[in-house]
Amino acid sequence: MTTWTSDELNRIAGADELEMAPLRRDGTLRGPVPIWVVRDGDDLYVRSFRGTDGAWWRTARTSHEGHIRSGGVDKRVTFVEVADSQVNDRIDTAYRTKYDRFGGAYVAPMVAARSTTLRLVPQ
């Protein structure tokens, strides 16, 4: 399995947003959507602000593949669903720490959207 380089991790985690373009059933990419991304150790995670109603998330969950662009990094990725409560606790903290400056109206939905947590694995 491919892993992120230290440079890629730092660049993506240091950016406020990531452009997410999941692969559709017909093999084409959805138009990119800006979303928040957080780092936990050597892994990167995203969640859907709209929870399970998020269109990009539903597409990503179906295909498990797509493309991301952030911090000058441009990669094909695999999306891995995360149900582990300990990992999700750390992701909650990462969202609060990184994005708290935007206020609770934005951070609270990200913390509440634990069921949409996806780990980004580079291809």
Side-chain angles (χ1 to χ4, degrees):
M1 184 179 291
T2 305
T3 59
W4 297 104
T5 67
S6 292
D7 181 58
E8 290 170 333
L9 283 168
N10 290 332
R11 290 166 67 186
I12 294 170
D16 276 338
E17 293 183 330
L18 173 141
E19 289 183 5
M20 164 71 67
L23 194 65
R24 294 182 181 121
R25 287 186 182 155
D26 68 4
T28 63
L29 292 172
R30 271 184 49 101
V33 176
I35 62 171
W36 286 354
V37 59
V38 295
R39 178 179 179 177
D40 180 49
D42 291 337
D43 293 311
L44 297 167
Y45 297 89
V46 295
R47 288 180 177 167
S48 170
F49 181 84
R50 298 193 190 306
T52 56
D53 291 333
W56 74 261
W57 180 82
R58 289 191 319 269
T59 303
R61 186 171 181 232
T62 300
S63 70
H64 296 284
E65 292 186 67
H67 185 269
I68 59 105
R69 184 176 301 129
S70 182
V73 178
D74 200 322
K75 284 268 191 192
R76 295 280 297 191
V77 293
T78 300
F79 306 119
V80 178
E81 294 180 56
V82 178
D84 184 299
S85 63
Q86 290 181 332
V87 171
N88 271 300
D89 289 346
R90 293 194 309 268
I91 302 311
D92 291 349
T93 300
Y95 271 107
R96 288 183 186 110
T97 301
K98 183 174 180 181
Y99 295 107
D100 190 51
R101 69 187 187 277
F102 293 103
Y106 295 100
V107 177
M110 298 306 291
V111 173
R114 290 169 68 111
S115 66
T116 68
T117 305
L118 297 174
R119 182 167 51 98
L120 306 178
V121 179
Q123 292 184 4

